């Protein structure tokens, strides 16, 4: 069954790749043959019990395994890792006589490691199973025949069932809405689980099914739905309902999707169309790609190196064995060479050699640390816990802590080079405040936007800089500059907090407008009151929101599709036009005029609604007011509206355009409002056409609708424009500043238009005055035919080369460039033949802003950066449109803020606010990178140091495969004796404290430059391992050569030599890790020194159990080794000798060629930061990557400019 | 089908009842541990520390080295290689044949004591090129059988020396089978020197590993005789030669304790050794040596430990000096910010 499903999934994913990202396109591209192939017999589920109408059940399973498949599948998953497979083979062979070890010492660690991973899998899967079960057992009311409804669990629901879903319940499958408790058949749906939008959406049933409004009505209900096959597109649906011998077209407006929730509606009736895994939400489920960090990928290469080493030394010893067996062993009578067996046959040395090769491969397996994977796993989980627990990344407002959703990318956080950020909801709050408006050519609204405030503040500061830096002497300039920088940073912060706490009036969410001329009905005193009236009415009527009465304030709150719309409605309410009720066909507005106390409730018949799409960039409603006047009210992007104005509708165009530019500069989002009066007859003819378009089915329906709508939305009369503010999130400019100082590049990818994007760029210091902006745009309009494509491409290529040329020719080292490109251009720029030019240019620019990009383009840009530069990318976003980008990037970060869960679900890390990114990268990323790098290096060191001693001993044991250590020692080496210290290194090591990380963002560069995991360092550690193994083995061998090793005259046997050697190893590797660490809490002390103590304890206890188990190790420590001074003397000597080169290396490096963190550690150690605060702040300010973006860079540039002017002045005065 | 959306359904189902108190519960609890702020000691390698560490090592190591060298020098050792000399000149062309022909292989050796040797004087035999550490050899024993009579039949691990004439061999295995069987009799000035053969093995071996109720049976009864024949009336726990032999050596050159002479030997004493040369090392060109040695607190004669200690100690002293000199020539103030990378190459990067 699973295989079938997988195959089906593959086919579907092939067919509908990207369709979830790009619904409208696939709609057009889908072949006609596909649609209409699904037939649903409404209210006759029994017809769906046989093929071909038997569709999949409503049982959902998101688990990877079930009880039967768990073992084989999970085991298969485990042994897909090459290393695990190797260990499995080794363990299997250990059951035969070939193995040098007892079987248990091979199988136990493998079972432990695999068992642990499998237990983790099982636990995760069982959680999923429990969740699935919970979902499958939910009950819903189903029509059981004869108009009777009864409850049935979800998983028993079949296609064709008629369901009755009650308020606040989830829909169990994709349903066709038949009717609701409202007489006009509407219902409200919350789709947060699907697209993350929290606003309610209205669904309307067909007029034809309206009469089916009680249980009885379904007694004889029957109908046939022909519709599209299951597909993942949430926003499209094509189908027909055949009912009452008539065909009705269906659109997404009648479809209730599984996992969305019924709100504000008592009940609805619906018929099941798609069940279980056919439903759109399940079709949308994508397996998030599993990502691996750079370090882990490189680790594979090290594993290969070690494998090679393993094979080489195995070959050496097997050849040695064969030679010995052939030429010498026949003379060794004490081995009874004449008694041959398959593994030992002096007559067939080649065969024996071959068997010995396998033995050797197992024996030297200690070179490949079996525990490495498991230790890294443990370390990463613990690191992730620390990230989750970090109180500095907890957002009080939303109550969300940071969350590491996958733990295997922690160290990647420390190597990020480029950040690709979404704008809305990430940099900005996605909370719109109605701030200004322009009505009939007059601008209203006195409050300033944040951008304006910030600019004003900064200008004031810069003037201060002006004053302070002029008389300054050269030497003092640096420090003063810094102080200024700090001051201004503080100022900026206060500006933002100030504007948050908006003064005297009670704060109304979404409304920051303040202008006496319009408030409290004063607009009646203005000129053109009829235009004002229209303006407010457009705000109130031209929308798709749903009012919800709010008991506390006795007014309404609105569930709007976009936050802009919500802001408009709130604004209209405040102006006295309260939208209070919506029915299927009407909108009710409570209009309040100052002269009459009682508000007037007016009804506007809603004739048509032409929806907003990103393509159309406008929405319109056609309404009929109480006087019978038909009006088309339209709001949309200014450029679109201006194109469609009638000749006499351009009265205020000039003034409005001016205001729009001003608003744009202030970082506000603008929309233009317009209307048109319609004649009955004109409307009637148009409506006919529109209805025809609406009922037709097929790929061109959308296009037809659009065309028809287009004919209506023309000859408009301009009324005015609105400006809403998209608030920046808290701390965003500061965070960007710090990230820029840490040497990170920041790209902004936004769906917004260019002007808004540029404004936000200014607001968060990605752009500044004096930065050369390179705008790459397509000049021709989109009407260009296909043959013009080449021309467009050539044009873009020209722009790209020109810009690159310009950058190359630029002499000023401080010149900064910003690249701004829009989505349409990007489609061309991302094509294979041009993308490298584009990337080359983008890399040269200090900041890159891509506007108007689709989710798919976001993902493509991310891939381009990732693959083109080969550096680590991080994508951060909050919405469903960022999912592609988040999954594509090396690290995906989701903002768990206002907009749903989609991005978070796809992400690797989730944080509540953009500003936490700084701490996540600069502190946790930095730490985790160094920890993992050091840990992996150390791991290889210790296993080489240990594994090679086995090889040397072989050479002394005629390559026979005998190990000098007891099996148990080797078993415990990786599992117990050396694993905990290395885990503590990976979890607790800190080179510098978190405050210092934040103060010195430049330290972050150690990660992207990969100073701690380059081949030089890796090979150094391996060399250290080789050295240690030589020292450990040969010193011991010579010390214990042949003479008595204690006063009692006894000579050392293999157990004594092996145990001493092993003691030396334990000491040497644990002292080595102590030298590696720079941060000792009691935990590290406990684990490092505890490991050594554990070894002695183990030896003691092992010596006490029956000699049948302990063999020659019986009472070894107590009787033989403990009282022998030579044992302790050898331990001391070998330990010191092993660690001497590393110690010399680090002390010379630190003393004569210190790295940044060394110096900072010293400053902290001597508390010089406290004594000499001036130096400390100066250094922390200098400690940043040479950056061209961010707030500090802005001030810097300003100062340069001033200094330049000063110099000029100076020189001219000298000349005169 | 691990999913985003599907899991979101359950997540949202949970979030539906997420109310204010639950929200607070998501707040990470503050503790110094979870915030990674545990008090820690952060040692840094200042030159002072480095130099002191080097000096400390040399101060500790050099005396130890000297002491162990002295201890090693105190040990008096007499080594007599006899494997060739004990074969009559006529038979030297085919030594293997000579040793295998079970004749009278008595051989007389004379040793001169170079220095006064205090008792106890340990008598060793030393074999060379004898791979007691060969895996086939090491594995070929049965600890269970050695320990108790009841496991006499437990010979599966002893191949190829497990059964003889259909009966299990006690003690089985190649190790026991190849037991060394040269014997030495010492006399000084024609007075016999008793060699104490008790107490040459580990006490724990005698008491716990080799059973008091285990007697050699069926030993050396196979087609080939390996080494010594054991007295079948003495339990294994008292067969100390076997016990010593069963402790396999780590290297192909090894000494094993033969016995102790518990009188002092004076310098220039002549010691007569009547030696029974039975053991075949000739087929693999192994040397045989007779060793008489005293011990110090550190064991037998081996200068290496002392030399190694002196070398490392001396090296550390040199390093301490170098470090001091280099540091004086090119000093660096600790925590000097000018060594920060952004100060070292301004404008760079």
């Amino acid at each position: 069954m699973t295989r079938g499903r997988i195959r089906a999934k593959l086919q579907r994913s092939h067919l509908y790749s990207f369709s979830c990202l790009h619904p409208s396109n696939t709609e057009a591209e889908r072949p006609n043959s596909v649609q209409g192939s699904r037939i649903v017999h409404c209210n006759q589920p029994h017809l769906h019990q046989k093929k071909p109408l038997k569709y999949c059940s409503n049982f959902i399973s998101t688990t990877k395994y079930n009880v039967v498949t768990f073992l084989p599948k999970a085991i298969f998953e485990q042994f897909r890792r090459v290393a695990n497979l190797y260990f499995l083979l080794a363990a299997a062979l250990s059951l035969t006589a070939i193995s040098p070890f007892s079987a248990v010492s091979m199988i136990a660690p493998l079972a432990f490691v695999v068992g642990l991973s499998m237990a983790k899998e099982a636990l995760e899967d069982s959680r999923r199973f429990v969740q699935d079960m919970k979902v499958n057992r939910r009950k819903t009311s189903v029509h059981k025949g004869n108009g009777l409804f009864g409850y049935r669990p979800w998983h028993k629901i079949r296609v064709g069932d008629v369901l009755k879903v009650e308020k606040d319940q989830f829909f169990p499958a994709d349903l066709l809405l038949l009717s609701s408790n409202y007489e006009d058949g509407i219902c409200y749906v919350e789709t947060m689980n699907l697209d993350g939008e929290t606003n309610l959406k209205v669904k309307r049933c067909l007029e034809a099914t309206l009469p089916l409004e009680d249980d009885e009505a379904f007694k004889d209900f029957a109908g046939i739905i022909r519709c599209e096959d299951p597909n993942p597109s949430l926003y499209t649906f094509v189908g027909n309902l055949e009912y009452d011998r008539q065909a009705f077209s269906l659109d997404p407006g009648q479809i209730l999707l599984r996992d969305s929730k019924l709100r504000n509606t008592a009940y609805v009736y619906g018929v099941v169309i798609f069940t279980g895994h056919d439903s759109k939400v399940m079709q949308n489920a994508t397996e998030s790609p599993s990502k691996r960090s750079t370090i882990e990928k490189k680790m594979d290469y090290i594993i290969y190196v070690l494998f090679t080493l393993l094979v080489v030394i195995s070959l050496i010893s097997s050849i040695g064995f064969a030679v010995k067996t052939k030429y010498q062993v026949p003379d060794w009578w004490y081995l009874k060479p004449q008694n041959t067996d398959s593994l030992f046959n002096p007559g067939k040395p080649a065969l024996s050699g071959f068997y010995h090769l396998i033995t050797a491969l197992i024996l030297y397996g200690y070179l490949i640390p079996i525990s490495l994977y498991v230790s890294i796993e443990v370390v990463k989980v613990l690191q992730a816990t620390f990230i989750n627990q970090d109180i500095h990344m907890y957002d009080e407002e939303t109550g969300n802590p940071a969350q590491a959703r996958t733990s295997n990318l922690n160290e990647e956080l420390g190597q990020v080079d480029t950040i690709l950020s979404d704008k809305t909801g990430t940099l900005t709050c996605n909370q719109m405040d109605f701030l200004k408006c322009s009505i009939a050519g007059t601008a209203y609204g006195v409050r300033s936007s944040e951008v304006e405030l910030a600019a004003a503040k900064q200008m004031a500061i810069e003037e201060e800089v002006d004053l302070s830096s002029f008389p300054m002497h050269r030497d003092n300039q640096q420090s003063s500059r810094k102080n200024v920088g700090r001051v201004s940073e503080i100022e900026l912060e206060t500006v933002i907090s100030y504007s948050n706490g908006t003064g005297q009036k009670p704060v109304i969410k979404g409304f920051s407008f303040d202008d006496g001329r319009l408030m409290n009905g004063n607009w009646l005193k203005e000129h053109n009151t009829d235009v004002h009236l229209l303006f407010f009415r457009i705000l109130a009527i031209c929308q798709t929101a749903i009012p919800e009465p709010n008991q506390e304030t006795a007014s309404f709150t609105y569930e709007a599709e976009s936050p802009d719309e919500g802001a408009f409605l709130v604004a209209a309410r405040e102006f006295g036009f309260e939208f209070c009720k919506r029915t299927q066909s009407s909108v009710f507005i409570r209009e309040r005029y100052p002269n009459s106390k009682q508000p007037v409730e007016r009804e506007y018949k809603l004739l048509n609604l032409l929806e907003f799409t990103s393509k159309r960039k406008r929405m319109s409603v056609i309404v009929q007011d109480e006087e019978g006047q038909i009006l088309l009210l339209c709001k949309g992007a200014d450029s679109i509206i201006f194109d469609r104005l009638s000749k006499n509708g351009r009265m205020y165009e000039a003034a409005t355009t001016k205001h729009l530019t001003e608003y744009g500069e202030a970082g506000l989002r603008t929309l233009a409002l317009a209307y048109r009066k319609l004649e009955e007859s004109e409307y009637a003819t148009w409506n006919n056409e529109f209805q025809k378009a609406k009922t037709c089915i097929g790929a061109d329906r959308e296009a037809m609708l659009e065309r028809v709508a287009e004919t209506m939305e023309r000859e408009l009369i301009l009324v005015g424009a609105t400006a809403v503010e998209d608030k920046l999130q808290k701390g965003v400019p500061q965070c960007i500043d710090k990230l820029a100082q840490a040497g990170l590049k920041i790209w902004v990818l936004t769906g917004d238009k260019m002007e808004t994007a540029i404004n936000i760029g200014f607001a968060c210091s990605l752009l500044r005055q004096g930065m050369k902006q390179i705008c790459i745009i397509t000049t021709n309009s989109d009407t260009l035919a296909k043959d013009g494509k080449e021309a467009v491409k050539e044009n873009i290529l020209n722009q790209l080369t020109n810009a690159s040329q310009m950058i190359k020719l630029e002499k000023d080292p401080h010149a900064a460039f910003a690249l701004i490109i829009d989505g349409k251009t990007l489609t061309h720029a991302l094509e294979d033949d041009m993308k490298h030019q584009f990337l080359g240019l983008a890399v040269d620019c200090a900041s890159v802003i891509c506007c108007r990009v689709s989710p798919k383009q976001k993902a493509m840009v991310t891939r381009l950066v990732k693959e083109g530069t080969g550096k680590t990318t991080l994508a951060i976003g909050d919405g469903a449109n960022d999912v592609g980008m988040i999954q594509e990037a090396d690290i995906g970060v989701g903002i768990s803020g206002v907009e749903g869960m989609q991005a978070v679900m796809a992400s690797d890390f989730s944080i509540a606010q953009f500003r936490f990114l700084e701490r996540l990268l600069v502190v946790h990323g930095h730490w985790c990178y160094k920890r993992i790098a050091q840990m992996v290096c150390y791991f290889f060191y210790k296993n080489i140091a240990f594994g090679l001693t086995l090889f040397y001993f072989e050479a002394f044991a005629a390559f026979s495969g005998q190990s000098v250590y007891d099996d148990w020692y080797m078993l415990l080496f990786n599992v117990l004796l050396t694993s905990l210290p290395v885990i503590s290194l990976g979890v607790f090591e800190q080179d510098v404290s978190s405050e210092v990380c934040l103060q010195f963002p430049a330290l972050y560069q150690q990660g992207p430059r990969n100073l701690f995991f380059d081949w030089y360092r890796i090979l150094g550690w391996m060399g250290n391992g080789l050295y240690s193994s030589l020292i450990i083995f040969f010193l011991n061998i010579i010390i214990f050569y042949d003479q008595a090793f204690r006063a009692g005259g006894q000579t050392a046997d293999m157990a004594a030599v092996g145990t001493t050697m092993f003691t030396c190893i334990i000491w040497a590797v644990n002292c080595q890790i102590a030298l590696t660490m720079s941060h000792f809490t009691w935990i590290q002390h406990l684990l490092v020194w505890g490991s050594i103590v554990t070894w002695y304890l183990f030896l003691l206890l092992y010596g006490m159990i029956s000699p049948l188990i302990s063999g020659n190790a019986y009472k070894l420590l107590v009787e033989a080794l403990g009282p022998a001074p030579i044992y302790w003397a050898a331990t001391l000597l070998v330990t010191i000798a092993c660690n001497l080169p590393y110690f010399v290396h680090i002390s010379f490096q630190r003393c004569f060629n210190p790295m940044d963190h060394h110096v900072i550690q010293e400053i902290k150690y001597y508390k010089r930061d406290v004594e000499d605060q001036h130096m400390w702040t100066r250094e922390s300010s200098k400690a940043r990557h040479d950056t061209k973006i961010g707030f500090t860079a802005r001030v810097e540039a300003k100062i340069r400019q001033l200094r330049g002017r000063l110099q000029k002045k100076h020189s001219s005065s000298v000349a005169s | 089908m691990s999913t985003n959306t599907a899991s979101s359904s359950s997540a949202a189902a949970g979030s539906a009842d997420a109310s204010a108190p639950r929200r607070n519960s998501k707040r990470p609890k503050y503790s110094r541990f979870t915030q990674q702020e545990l008090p820690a000691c952060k040692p840094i390698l200042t030159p002072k520390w480095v130099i002191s560490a080097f000096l400390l090592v040399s101060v500790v190591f050099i005396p130890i080295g000297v002491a162990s060298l002295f201890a090693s020098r105190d040990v008096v050792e007499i080594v007599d290689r006899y494997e060739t000399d004990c074969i009559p000149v006529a038979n030297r062309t085919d030594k293997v044949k000579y040793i295998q022909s079970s004749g009278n292989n008595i051989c007389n050796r004379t040793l001169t004591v170079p220095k006064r040797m205090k008792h106890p004087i340990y008598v060793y035999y030393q074999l060379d090129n004898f791979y007691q550490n060969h895996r086939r050899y090491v594995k070929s024993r049965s600890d269970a059988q050695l320990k108790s009579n009841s496991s006499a039949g437990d010979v599966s691990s002893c191949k190829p020396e497990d059964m003889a004439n259909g009966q299990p061999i006690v003690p089985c295995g190649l190790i026991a089978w190849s037991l060394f069987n040269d014997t030495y009799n010492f006399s000084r000035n024609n007075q016999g020197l008793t060699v104490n053969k008790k107490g040459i093995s580990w006490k724990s071996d005698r008491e716990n590993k080799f059973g008091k109720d285990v007697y050699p049976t069926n030993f050396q009864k196979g087609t080939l005789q390996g080494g010594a024949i054991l007295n079948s009336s003495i339990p294994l726990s008292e067969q100390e030669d076997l016990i010593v032999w069963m402790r396999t050596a780590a290297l192909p050159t090894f000494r094993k304790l033969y016995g102790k002479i518990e009188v002092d030997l004076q310098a220039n004493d002549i010691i007569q050794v009547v030696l029974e040369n039975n053991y075949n090392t000739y087929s693999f060109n192994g040397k045989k040596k007779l060793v008489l040695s005293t011990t110090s607190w550190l064991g037998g004669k081996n200068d290496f430990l002392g030399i190694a200690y002196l070398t490392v100690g001396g090296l550390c002293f040199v390093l301490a000096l170098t470090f001091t000199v280099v540091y004086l020539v090119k000093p660096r103030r600790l925590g000097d910010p000018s060594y920060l990378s952004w100060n070292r190459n301004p404008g760079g990067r």
Side-chain angles (χ1 to χ4, degrees), chain A residues 99 193 333-336 339 389 396 400 931 1044 1047 1049 1051 1054 1080 1112 1119 1129 1154 1156 1162 1168, chain B residues 12 26-27 35-36 41 124 131 135-136 161 203-204 209 248 255 280 295 300 309 332 334-335 341 344:
Chain A
S99 166
N193 290 340
W333 58 266
Y334 51 89
L335 293 182
K336 280 208 168 177
N339 287 42
Q389 291 289 324
E396 298 283 350
N400 283 326
R931 287 167 178 174
T1051 53
M1054 206 154 77
F1080 288 88
N1112 281 343
E1119 193 180 18
D1156 292 344
E1162 285 163 8
R1168 289 190 48 189
Chain B
K26 275 163 94 185
R27 185 192 160 87
Q35 301 308 309
Q36 309 192 53
C41 79
Y124 303 92
Y131 285 83
R135 187 156 145 254
R136 182 177 161 94
E161 187 61 28
K203 187 161 163 268
S204 63
K209 271 163 96 176
T248 52
R255 276 179 201 173
N280 176 14
T295 57
Y309 260 99
R332 178 177 77 89
L334 284 176
S341 62
R344 269 199 278 185

Side-chain angles (χ1 to χ4, degrees), chain A residues 742-978:
Chain A
L744 294 158
K745 296 183 192 71
I746 300 166
W747 292 36
V748 175
L749 310 177
T750 171
D752 271 317
K753 59 182 170 185
M754 193 173 267
E755 298 79 50
T756 322
I758 291 177
N759 287 325
I760 294 298
F762 273 104
C764 48
S765 290
L766 283 171
L767 299 176
R768 60 180 152 82
Q769 243 66 48
M771 210 179 205
K772 294 200 177 72
Q773 292 179 16
I774 303 167
C775 289
I776 310 279
I777 41 167
T778 34
T779 41
N780 311 36
S781 65
D782 52 344
T783 48
L784 217 80
K786 266 184 187 163
D787 50 71
K789 200 185 158 201
E790 286 306 308
V792 174
K793 279 185 81 170
E794 203 159 309
N795 180 311
I796 295 169
L797 195 62
N798 262 340
Q799 293 188 41
L800 288 175
T801 24
N802 285 346
S804 311
Q805 207 63 30
M806 187 170 91
I807 292 176
K808 234 173 254 161
L809 293 176
E810 180 62 54
K811 294 268 162 48
D812 181 6
H814 299 292
F817 296 90
L819 178 68
I820 298 146
I821 189 164
D822 75 340
K824 214 188 300 165
T825 320
L826 207 53
T827 43
H828 299 294
L830 285 178
E831 275 166 30
D832 280 341
D833 46 345
M834 219 191 281
K835 64 181 181 190
H836 295 292
Q837 274 102 328
F838 166 63
L839 185 65
L841 176 64
V843 166
D844 284 336
C845 290
S847 43
V848 180
I849 296 178
C850 305
C851 2
R852 282 272 173 246
V853 288
S854 67
K856 193 180 160 191
Q857 282 179 323
K858 285 188 178 184
M860 281 164 69
V861 170
T862 310
R863 185 182 303 168
L864 177 67
V865 178
K866 186 174 81 175
E867 284 167 5
T869 62
K871 296 197 174 131
T872 308
T873 54
L874 179 144
I876 178 166
D878 71 322
N881 59 341
D882 303 316
V883 168
M885 169 169 95
I886 284 173
Q887 291 188 337
E888 184 64 49
D890 292 309
I891 308 169
V893 178
I895 303 271
S896 52
V898 204
E899 283 202 39
M901 300 291 281
Q902 202 87 326
V904 171
M905 285 295 161
S907 68
D908 305 307
F909 295 89
S910 76
I911 49 178
Q913 299 237 311
F914 183 81
R915 65 192 155 102
F916 297 138
L917 193 62
E918 180 193 355
R919 194 175 173 85
L920 185 66
L921 295 184
V922 173
V923 177
H924 289 283
H926 177 72
W927 280 347
C928 289
Y929 162 71
K930 283 188 124 176
R931 287 167 178 174
I932 294 280
Q934 288 189 333
M935 176 184 165
V936 172
C937 284
Y938 173 78
F939 234 105
F940 289 117
Y941 153 82
K942 109 179 145 74
N943 281 276
I944 288 178
F946 177 60
L948 285 181
T949 56
L950 291 168
F951 173 63
Y952 306 143
F953 183 74
E954 280 308 270
F956 286 88
F959 297 107
S960 60
Q962 178 59 37
S963 125
V964 70
Y965 310 115
D966 192 283
D967 286 358
W968 280 95
Y969 300 174
M970 297 202 278
L971 178 76
L972 291 176
F973 177 74
N974 276 329
V975 177
L976 185 68
L977 297 173
T978 59

Side-chain angles (χ1 to χ4, degrees), chain A residues 993-1018:
Chain A
S993 68
S994 58
E995 297 86 57
V996 179
C997 284
L998 292 169
Q999 279 164 348
F1000 288 83
L1003 281 180
Y1004 184 80
Q1005 276 298 309
Q1006 293 182 337
R1009 285 155 77 203
N1010 202 9
L1011 291 183
F1012 288 86
F1013 207 64
D1014 52 357
W1015 280 108
Y1016 171 75
R1017 200 167 265 264
I1018 294 164

Side-chain angles (χ1 to χ4, degrees), chain A residues 19-82:
Chain A
S19 50
C20 56
L21 296 175
H22 218 122
S24 53
N25 277 6
T26 33
E27 177 67 27
E29 282 157 20
R30 187 177 303 128
N32 279 329
S33 59
V34 173
Q35 58 119 330
S37 75
R38 189 180 176 99
I39 296 169
V40 177
H41 293 275
C42 305
N43 213 12
Q44 293 161 300
H46 52 91
L47 290 180
H48 291 289
Q49 282 168 353
K50 293 196 285 270
K51 296 257 169 199
L53 290 180
K54 191 176 190 303
Y55 302 123
C56 79
S57 79
N58 201 33
F59 180 87
I60 58 146
S61 158
T62 56
T63 56
K64 277 188 190 163
Y65 317 104
N66 62 37
V67 180
V68 183
T69 60
F70 175 73
L71 267 181
K73 251 178 114 177
I75 287 177
F76 174 73
E77 285 294 320
Q78 284 304 314
F79 291 108
R80 270 172 37 176
R81 271 183 177 165
V82 183

Side-chain angles (χ1 to χ4, degrees), chain A residues 180-196:
Chain A
S180 76
N181 67 317
Y182 293 110
E183 42 192 77
D184 50 0
I186 60 163
C187 70
Y188 300 107
V189 171
E190 186 191 82
T191 58
M192 197 165 79
N193 290 340
L194 292 142
D195 51 16

Side-chain angles (χ1 to χ4, degrees), chain B residues 73-92:
Chain B
R73 295 282 150 90
D74 277 350
V75 172
V76 185
E77 196 180 76
I78 307 169
V79 181
D80 179 52
R81 179 175 165 184
Y82 65 84
E83 86 279 355
T84 315
D85 295 344
C86 278
I87 294 196
V89 182
N91 297 71
R92 283 192 190 165

Side-chain angles (χ1 to χ4, degrees), chain A residues 16 127 156 160 249 254 262 307 417 422 436 463 476 655 704 771 789 932 959 965 986 1053 1067 1153 1160 1188:
Chain A
Y16 297 107
R127 276 198 205 125
K156 288 198 177 147
S249 78
Q254 284 105 38
L262 186 66
F307 252 121
D417 183 71
D422 171 46
K436 296 180 190 222
E463 256 160 54
N476 289 351
M704 242 164 99
M771 210 179 205
K789 200 185 158 201
I932 294 280
F959 297 107
Y965 310 115
D1053 65 332
W1067 270 97
N1153 193 17
I1160 291 167
K1188 284 168 180 164

